[in-house]
């Protein structure tokens, strides 16, 4: 299983502009705290929305890394370029990486164009 730590995830997002940070938590969790620029597709909606995902490298994140690990496995089974962000948002925050809080702005969390 492909996993990266939060430092590597942040580096990829900075240095590889095609990479998408895919947050698979539920909408209320996303509103509480999120990584800026993350696209939101809750795990509960993923099976219905998988066709919406852009054909770009995906870094999958959740709260602690369990849901994102399952989603990463599913996406890789489908032949997608996906890696789990180990430790999730808990590790992201602990590492001092940027976060946004509160109600998402219009368009925040939307998937990027393919």
């Amino acid at each position: 299983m492909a996993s990266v730590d939060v430092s590597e995830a942040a580096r990829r997002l900075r240095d590889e502009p095609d990479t998408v940070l895919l947050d698979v938590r539920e909408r209320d969790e996303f509103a509480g705290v999120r990584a800026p620029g993350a696209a939101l597709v809750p795990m509960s909606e993923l099976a219905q929305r998988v066709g919406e995902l852009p054909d770009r490298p995906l870094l999958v994140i959740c709260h602690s890394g369990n849901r994102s690990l399952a989603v990463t496995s599913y996406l890789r089974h489908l032949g997608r370029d996906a890696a789990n962000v180990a430790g999730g948002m808990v590790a992201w925050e602990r590492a001092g990486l940027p976060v946004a809080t509160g109600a998402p702005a219009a368009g925040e969390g939307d998937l990027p164009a393919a």
Side-chain angles (χ1 to χ4, degrees), residues 11-29:
R11 184 203 64 77
R12 287 189 191 181
L13 292 166
R14 181 186 68 238
D15 297 345
E16 301 170 14
D18 280 352
T19 301
V20 174
L21 183 62
L22 179 66
D23 193 322
V24 296
R25 299 174 301 150
E26 294 304 314
R27 295 178 189 283
D28 61 328
E29 294 174 280

Side-chain angles (χ1 to χ4, degrees), residues 1-112:
M1 176 54 58
S3 286
V4 297
D5 65 20
V6 293
S7 298
E8 174 63 11
R11 184 203 64 77
R12 287 189 191 181
L13 292 166
R14 181 186 68 238
D15 297 345
E16 301 170 14
D18 280 352
T19 301
V20 174
L21 183 62
L22 179 66
D23 193 322
V24 296
R25 299 174 301 150
E26 294 304 314
R27 295 178 189 283
D28 61 328
E29 294 174 280
F30 187 80
V33 63
R34 62 202 167 275
L40 176 65
V41 177
M43 185 176 179
S44 62
E45 300 174 14
L46 186 71
Q48 296 86 6
R49 297 185 60 197
V50 71
E52 297 175 30
L53 298 177
D55 188 17
R56 294 164 55 175
L58 302 170
L59 294 174
V60 186
I61 195 166
C62 66
H63 177 72
S64 65
N66 293 326
R67 286 174 283 181
S68 57
L69 185 64
V71 168
T72 299
S73 176
Y74 171 71
L75 292 172
R76 291 179 66 83
H77 178 74
L78 296 176
R80 300 301 305 268
D81 180 358
N84 178 51
V85 179
M89 282 304 299
V90 170
W92 186 276
E93 286 187 277
R94 283 191 185 142
L97 293 166
V99 296
T101 59
E108 191 176 0
D110 289 355
L111 286 165

